[in-house]
Amino acid sequence: EVQLLESGGGLVQPGGSLRLSCAASGFTFSSYAMSWVRQAPGKGLEWVSGINSYGDRTYYADSVKGRFTISRDDSKNTLYLQMNSLRDEDTALYYCAREAPWGRWNDFYVWGQGTLVTVSS
Amino acid sequence: QSALTQPASVSGSPGQSITISCTGTSSDVGGYDYVSWYQQYPGKAPKLMIYDVSNRPSGVSNRFSASKSGNTASLTISGLQAEDEADYYCCSYTTSSTLVVFGGGTKLTVL
């Protein structure tokens, strides 16, 4: 079964750091681009960051550029999101998402269940 | 990068058809045929319903159709059913400083 399982969320103070992980299973992880998409409580979806299948191209939303870093470890079938200098507005459910087999950046074919990040003092 | 513009809510009766619009710019919706649509139930992860403007992934009902004209994409749901009540998001590739942009979302209510 194709599956994505996020972890690493929690409560952090403003200015703090957190690293999210997304463990993939049931497919060849190294063949797919991956993204993080977040959803603030009661709000819409916001694409956060993406990484290509080779791991040498990364992309970020303006709202997180310079603060977040996406990476992948194909040997562990795991996607990461290092989040630094966290702000209140980063509070959200963070989803890990896999691209579709036909390979469009905006076609998220597989989603995890999400991990909740709360930034609050 | 501003989000794509969607109506906050739409509604329809069972059996009717509804259309949700998604307006962007020539840098995203209007510039490429890379528009997708997602359905999301409360407390659940989104599900891909449409890709490349008008294509349905395997398993998605043919009651869902979509198109694009200029900078505006549209999702149409025909033969509305109670189970269609959900939030719907459009999404596009963009040549702006980011890579992907979502719409603000539309809440569909089946009356």
Side-chain angles (χ1 to χ4, degrees):
Chain A
E1 181 190 2
V2 173
Q3 196 169 5
L4 298 171
L5 186 62
E6 302 95 335
S7 61
L11 175 63
V12 61
Q13 292 187 338
S17 298
L18 213 54
R19 188 176 85 154
L20 306 184
S21 299
C22 170
S25 59
F27 64 96
T28 305
F29 179 71
S30 60
S31 296
Y32 292 91
M34 300 292 296
S35 285
W36 289 96
V37 177
R38 69 184 180 184
Q39 187 168 35
K43 302 297 184 181
L45 301 172
E46 179 187 16
W47 178 82
V48 173
S49 181
I51 185 168
N52 68 350
S53 60
Y54 301 104
D56 62 349
R57 300 293 295 271
T58 58
Y59 305 88
Y60 299 93
D62 288 343
S63 56
V64 306
K65 203 168 291 184
R67 301 187 299 122
F68 289 12
T69 302
I70 190 171
S71 62
R72 63 191 297 157
D73 185 339
D74 291 349
S75 69
K76 296 182 178 180
N77 291 340
T78 301
L79 176 73
Y80 301 101
L81 185 67
Q82 177 66 44
M83 305 186 296
N84 298 329
S85 303
L86 283 162
R87 306 167 180 169
D88 290 351
E89 56 264 35
D90 295 319
T91 294
L93 185 65
Y94 284 73
Y95 290 104
C96 166
R98 195 203 82 180
E99 71 169 353
W102 49 86
R104 303 276 187 261
W105 275 107
N106 60 301
D107 295 342
F108 305 114
Y109 198 69
V110 182
W111 296 71
Q113 87 293 343
T115 187
L116 182 63
V117 172
T118 303
V119 183
S120 175
S121 54
Chain B
Q1 172 67 36
S2 300
L4 306 176
T5 301
Q6 297 181 234
S9 63
V10 298
S11 62
S13 299
Q16 290 185 331
S17 295
I18 64 94
T19 296
I20 299 171
S21 62
C22 168
T23 301
T25 69
S26 58
S27 295
D28 38 66
V29 174
Y32 306 88
D33 287 338
Y34 298 153
V35 178
S36 49
W37 290 89
Y38 295 86
Q39 176 190 63
Q40 186 182 34
Y41 294 114
K44 300 296 185 181
K47 175 186 177 182
L48 181 65
M49 303 299 284
I50 296 286
Y51 69 95
D52 290 356
V53 174
S54 60
N55 294 307
R56 284 187 307 275
S58 175
V60 172
S61 169
N62 59 11
R63 296 187 300 105
F64 291 83
S65 62
S67 62
K68 188 187 81 167
S69 177
N71 295 336
T72 298
S74 299
L75 173 71
T76 297
I77 308 174
S78 59
L80 267 181
Q81 299 179 2
E83 66 197 49
D84 299 330
E85 186 163 294
D87 293 325
Y88 292 86
Y89 295 89
C90 61
C91 183
S92 176
Y93 169 79
T94 175
T95 54
S96 71
S97 55
T98 61
L99 188 68
V100 175
V101 62
F102 279 96
T106 299
K107 181 176 180 58
L108 169 62
T109 300
V110 180
L111 303 171

